[in-house]
Amino acid sequence: MTSPLPTDAEAFDRLMAARHSCRAFRPEPIPRETIAAILTTAQKTASWNNTQPWQVVIASGGAVERFRALMLDLAARGAEPAPDFAFPREYRGALLDRRRACGFQLYDAVGVQRGDKAAYARQSLRNFALFDAPHVAIITTDEALGAYGALDCGAYVSNFMTAATAHGVATIAQAALAVHAAAIRDHFGMADDQRVVCGISFGRADESHPVNGYRTVRAELGEVVRWED
């Protein structure tokens, strides 16, 4: 007989299960105090030697519209991708299988037929429209910390999104934005030693949109964990 989860563990598991990548947002903004509460929780993220390397720009209102216009313009012009952190060289084995399954779920949800490259491109462009989110967070780290600064930022991003879920705020982490790292630095007046990790678009989910109607699955423990006694 399985013992019931402690209250905190149950709540945390429920939030982890509820969080999903939102790809259609409603336009109304989130109150500043709610965003501050999310940031305050995320700031408790553990980091190597407590360096807390993440720097965060929150764009809302006119700022998010100007940034959205920039991203869409770069995408429309076919600007050369130049991320600060190299994207995966390839996906292999189970990693490729999971990636394909995720993509097929997305395309099925929005009615894109497999092999329709033009429709794939249109859906991809939604990334640069921030999926119509009223806010975006840009996450950067100090260049000198290399991969470990990015690792700490990854933990921060996860905690930001879980905290947002607790406040009824939907999110999506977007590495796609980071392909234009130099343009992001220039647009927001960031220091040259800041490296762009990703963006997080956030707001209230448009629950009526079919793109928000599916959920990805997680691997069983046996696929990712090896026990040694």
Side-chain angles (χ1 to χ4, degrees), residues 151-181:
L151 177 66
D152 286 341
C153 287
Y156 178 90
V157 168
S158 181
N159 288 336
F160 179 104
M161 294 191 296
T162 305
T165 301
H167 286 273
V169 175
T171 60
I172 183 168
Q174 294 185 262
L177 305 182
V179 302
H180 301 305

Side-chain angles (χ1 to χ4, degrees), residues 78-165:
E80 188 70 24
D84 289 331
F85 296 96
F87 275 32
R89 187 182 71 252
E90 63 176 317
Y91 294 88
R92 301 181 293 197
L95 310 181
L96 178 60
D97 293 341
R98 293 169 194 153
R99 183 174 189 263
R100 282 176 171 165
C102 177
F104 289 148
Q105 282 184 281
L106 167 60
Y107 296 138
D108 288 346
V110 294
V112 172
Q113 299 298 311
R114 296 185 188 182
D116 187 342
K117 294 183 178 180
Y120 289 171
R122 286 194 299 273
Q123 182 59 39
S124 179
L125 196 62
R126 294 287 297 145
N127 279 283
F128 302 101
L130 313 178
F131 301 105
D132 301 326
H135 310 277
V136 67
I138 303 299
I139 314 298
T140 66
T141 183
D142 191 295
E143 177 274 332
L145 297 180
Y148 289 97
L151 177 66
D152 286 341
C153 287
Y156 178 90
V157 168
S158 181
N159 288 336
F160 179 104
M161 294 191 296
T162 305
T165 301

Side-chain angles (χ1 to χ4, degrees), residues 15-51:
L15 288 170
M16 290 290 286
R19 188 218 62 80
H20 65 97
S21 292
C22 178
R23 290 182 171 86
F25 291 89
R26 303 203 311 258
E28 63 266 26
I30 303 300
R32 177 68 62 90
E33 57 268 25
T34 301
I35 300 174
I38 293 167
L39 292 165
T40 299
T41 298
Q43 191 60 31
K44 298 176 174 68
T45 298
S47 59
W48 192 338
N49 292 324
N50 197 36
T51 51

